[in-house]
Amino acid sequence: MKILVGYKRVVDYNVRIQVKPDGTGVVTDGVKLSANPFDDIALEEALRLRERGVAEEVVVVGIGPADLTAHLRNGLAMGANRAIHVVTPEAVQPLTAARVFLKLVEKEQPGLVILGKQAIDDDANQTGQMLAALWDRPQATFASKLEIADGKATVTREVDAGLEVIEAELPAVVTTDLRLNEPRFIKLPDIMKAKSKPIDTIEFAALGVEAHDHLRTTRYAAPPKRSRGVMVKDAAELVAMLRQKGLL
Amino acid sequence: MSKVLIIAEHLEGKLNPSTARAVSAAVAVQPEAVDVLVLADRVDAIAADAARIAGVSRVLTVARAENAHPLAAVLAPQIAKAAAGYSHVFLPSTTFGKDVAPRVAALLGVAQVSDVMSVEGSHTFTRPIYAGNAIVTVEADPAHAVVATVRTASWPAAASGEHAAPVEPLGLDVALPSHTRFVELKQGKSDRPDLQSAGKVVSGGRGVGSKENFEIIYRLADKIGAAVGASRAAVDAGYVPNELQVGQTGKIIAPELYIAIGISGAIQHLTGIKDAGTIVAINKDAEAPIFEVADIGLVGDLFKLIPELEQALG
């Protein structure tokens, strides 16, 4: 079985996001970029399936500008067999990303596509579900446990009410939640090895995908700030204050 | 004129309160109609709950055995078909809505607006990105239906009571896939208030130290009638189950009172509580970031302070 993994590059988890004063975007110049944490989890899960003999090949997919290659090399260093780079200077919206993945799925015929449940930049949480719809295949979102056997995936999903278990016939789309696994660290020799692994480059325009983005972002704003309140000296004072506010 | 279709969320025959919050967002669009669609195996009790929500024009029901559990692959084709004639389709931004809505949007070939915080116009909305560290205004193309999830913490629940909207069964001739099957739902059994909708929440973090120690959090919560929440660190460490996680990737909540105990206040956690009325922080580290957003702070050892709190509460 082949597994396709979405591997998006985003502003690093630890960067404090600043909105540009003119409201046209957030500051990304000189800011550290990393793999979307949920995508690292997706890749890790795919690698473990390969190590267990469930899959033979793991392919990481990135959609982005020419310099995305370095990021995809990280995915290869982590252990993917090869990478596909869909080249576009523009950021694509989830529906377009899903349409790109559908084209790749038709070409690659994977048994499983694993994506992060959301990217921590736009927090959209859409691409996996949209791909599953366009592909007319099962989706198992927010996975915290994944087992593959007898042509189906048994997935434990983190839902508001607790843990839901579903079965999905393969091929299927799985999106990862935080507790699915802990991604491995990249080792130096693997970085060297990754240099010789193949990256297929496909121009976005060559895929025949309609970049049909219905949403236009017109303004970026900083969120309203909560300000620092008062400190109390002990439990009794805290209780008195909450009672005075009518909260207890 | 706009017409909004809201997809009801429900569990075990009861309507989830998130549905009434989605109704508030729908009303803000100033539509000519707000209809609620109930997809279930047994629809009557859920539809009756939905019909009582103020602002609802009609409740439409689809009773099918396949709708017993909320599987996106099963629900989405029905919703996409029912959406004909509607300008907007809204779902709550809960794990249910997040799972189902994008599948509907893709079937309709339209973009989705995730986590609507405010409605600025019939096709203009604000939503959070970067864990709420930026708020964007987005405009959807009026030529297409808008599929959106509603950030429940940003919207009050529409009133429920006197209102009685008509309930009508909806005939949908849709073939449903069988490639996805529900196996089971493991729920924590709890008599405590629901974390998502509770007026008061007591949360514990890494500082609580163990699963056993978390008992003092539960005890304090019970004493004041609060729901219990937790930081990601506490869930990752196995102190509490995943459904208690509050934050960017857990639940986004807006209680009147939020008491954070032994939680340092990572930005991802703060994202989940920034709409709370009053935030109280109890932490032994006076430099913890949680104090930057807390309305009331108390520095000290939680194992000493919680018993003192219980005593002060009487």
Side-chain angles (χ1 to χ4, degrees):
Chain A
M1 185 172 76
K2 184 190 291 183
I3 303 177
L4 282 194
V5 173
Y7 201 61
K8 186 176 179 180
R9 183 177 64 177
V10 297
V11 173
D12 187 82
Y13 192 73
N14 290 309
V15 171
R16 241 182 206 278
I17 296 296
Q18 304 282 347
V19 174
K20 290 180 186 168
D22 63 359
T24 58
V26 300
V27 178
T28 51
D29 290 346
V31 161
K32 186 184 175 197
L33 302 175
S34 300
N36 178 39
F38 292 100
D39 295 356
D40 265 337
I41 294 170
L43 178 52
E44 175 65 34
E45 195 66 15
L47 296 175
R48 291 185 189 188
L49 288 169
R50 193 187 63 197
E51 284 156 6
R52 290 208 294 269
V54 175
E56 292 82 47
E57 192 182 27
V58 174
V59 183
V60 285
V61 177
I63 306 171
D67 74 349
L68 196 69
T69 315
H71 161 73
L72 290 169
R73 289 266 172 235
N74 288 338
L76 295 171
M78 203 166 137
N81 299 77
R82 60 188 174 90
I84 299 174
H85 178 186
V86 177
V87 186
T88 167
E90 307 287 337
V92 299
Q93 290 180 12
L95 184 57
T96 303
R99 286 174 170 160
V100 166
F101 269 92
L102 181 67
K103 291 285 181 191
L104 300 178
V105 158
E106 287 165 355
K107 182 163 170 272
E108 299 281 341
Q109 301 285 317
L112 195 61
V113 179
I114 312 182
L115 303 176
K117 74 166 180 181
Q118 71 196 71
I120 61 163
D121 49 5
D122 62 12
D123 282 334
N125 195 332
Q126 298 174 11
T127 304
Q129 296 90 314
M130 287 179 160
L131 170 63
L134 300 175
W135 193 13
D136 199 13
R137 293 303 309 164
Q139 69 187 49
T141 51
F142 326 143
S144 65
K145 192 175 173 200
L146 169 62
E147 283 166 12
I148 307 283
D150 307 325
K152 63 176 200 262
T154 303
V155 185
T156 302
R157 308 178 53 232
E158 295 204 0
V159 296
D160 289 336
L163 295 171
E164 183 190 64
V165 182
I166 63 170
E167 272 179 11
E169 289 171 14
L170 300 181
V173 179
V174 171
T175 76
T176 60
D177 217 317
L178 286 170
R179 280 171 283 274
L180 183 59
N181 60 50
E182 278 187 39
R184 67 196 65 188
F185 291 103
I186 297 170
K187 294 190 215 72
L188 191 59
D190 296 328
I191 295 173
M192 302 309 290
K193 249 190 280 177
K195 288 184 177 159
S196 59
K197 289 183 177 177
I199 299 181
D200 298 333
T201 300
I202 304 173
E203 286 299 324
F204 177 83
L207 280 174
V209 168
E210 198 186 354
H212 202 234
D213 293 337
H214 296 132
L215 287 189
R216 213 158 52 86
T217 299
T218 55
R219 183 164 174 265
Y220 291 74
K225 266 207 157 54
R226 289 189 80 105
S227 49
R228 183 182 270 272
V230 297
M231 301 301 284
V232 292
K233 63 179 191 312
D234 58 25
E237 193 185 349
L238 173 57
V239 169
M241 194 174 272
L242 291 177
R243 285 205 168 121
Q244 196 197 344
K245 285 173 166 250
L247 290 165
L248 288 177
Chain B
M1 267 307 263
S2 304
K3 275 181 82 179
V4 187
L5 183 66
I6 292 174
I7 314 307
E9 175 171 359
H10 54 86
L11 182 65
E12 292 170 346
K14 288 198 189 73
L15 188 71
N16 186 296
S18 63
T19 309
R21 294 176 186 264
V23 170
S24 292
V27 168
V29 173
Q30 299 184 321
E32 61 179 296
V34 177
D35 293 347
V36 176
L37 176 61
V38 177
L39 301 148
D41 54 347
R42 284 187 295 258
V43 296
D44 293 351
I46 304 160
D49 280 349
R52 278 193 287 274
I53 300 172
V56 172
S57 315
R58 286 188 305 166
V59 177
L60 307 170
T61 62
V62 180
R64 287 183 73 153
E66 295 95 326
N67 292 340
H69 303 287
L71 294 169
V74 170
L75 300 181
Q78 300 175 74
I79 296 167
K81 184 129 190 201
Y86 289 91
S87 57
H88 299 68
V89 179
F90 281 7
L91 292 89
S93 191
T94 53
T95 53
F96 163 76
K98 288 173 180 175
D99 186 42
V100 175
R103 191 153 184 136
V104 175
L107 292 178
L108 296 175
V110 301
Q112 177 188 309
V113 184
S114 296
D115 305 315
V116 169
M117 298 175 76
S118 71
V119 173
E120 306 291 320
S122 65
H123 291 75
T124 308
F125 310 92
T126 63
R127 63 171 300 261
I129 59 171
Y130 289 104
N133 286 302
I135 310 298
V136 287
T137 304
V138 294
E139 284 179 14
D141 183 348
H144 300 272
V146 177
V147 174
T149 60
V150 173
R151 185 177 181 275
T152 53
S154 299
W155 298 91
S160 178
E162 296 304 302
H163 190 70
V167 178
E168 301 167 18
L170 184 65
L172 290 178
D173 184 20
V174 187
L176 301 180
S178 57
H179 52 48
T180 313
R181 293 175 290 275
F182 173 85
V183 178
E184 63 172 326
L185 176 64
K186 300 173 199 167
Q187 289 191 77
K189 294 267 175 284
S190 172
D191 300 330
R192 297 190 176 86
D194 171 52
L195 174 57
Q196 194 93 55
S197 53
K200 295 176 221 169
V201 173
V202 178
S203 266
R206 198 198 303 272
V208 178
S210 72
K211 191 174 176 178
E212 292 68 36
N213 288 351
F214 229 85
E215 281 305 317
I216 59 173
I217 302 291
Y218 287 114
R219 218 169 57 211
L220 178 62
D222 290 347
K223 185 124 192 164
I224 62 170
V228 172
S231 68
R232 180 188 164 190
V235 177
D236 282 354
Y239 303 168
V240 290
N242 66 284
E243 64 264 28
L244 299 193
Q245 183 173 322
V246 172
Q248 182 186 16
T249 68
K251 290 189 171 77
I252 312 279
I253 58 174
E256 288 159 44
L257 173 62
Y258 185 79
I259 304 181
I261 300 175
I263 292 176
S264 63
I267 191 86
Q268 291 78 12
H269 185 76
L270 302 182
T271 298
I273 60 169
K274 61 174 61 164
D275 294 307
T278 297
I279 297 175
V280 175
I282 298 175
N283 203 296
K284 65 172 192 272
D285 175 10
E287 303 299 314
I290 189 81
F291 289 117
E292 286 168 32
V293 300
D295 301 284
I296 309 173
L298 176 54
V299 176
D301 178 5
L302 67 94
F303 299 105
K304 180 170 162 287
L305 288 172
I306 291 181
E308 288 175 8
L309 267 175
E310 288 183 83
Q311 202 177 9
L313 286 162

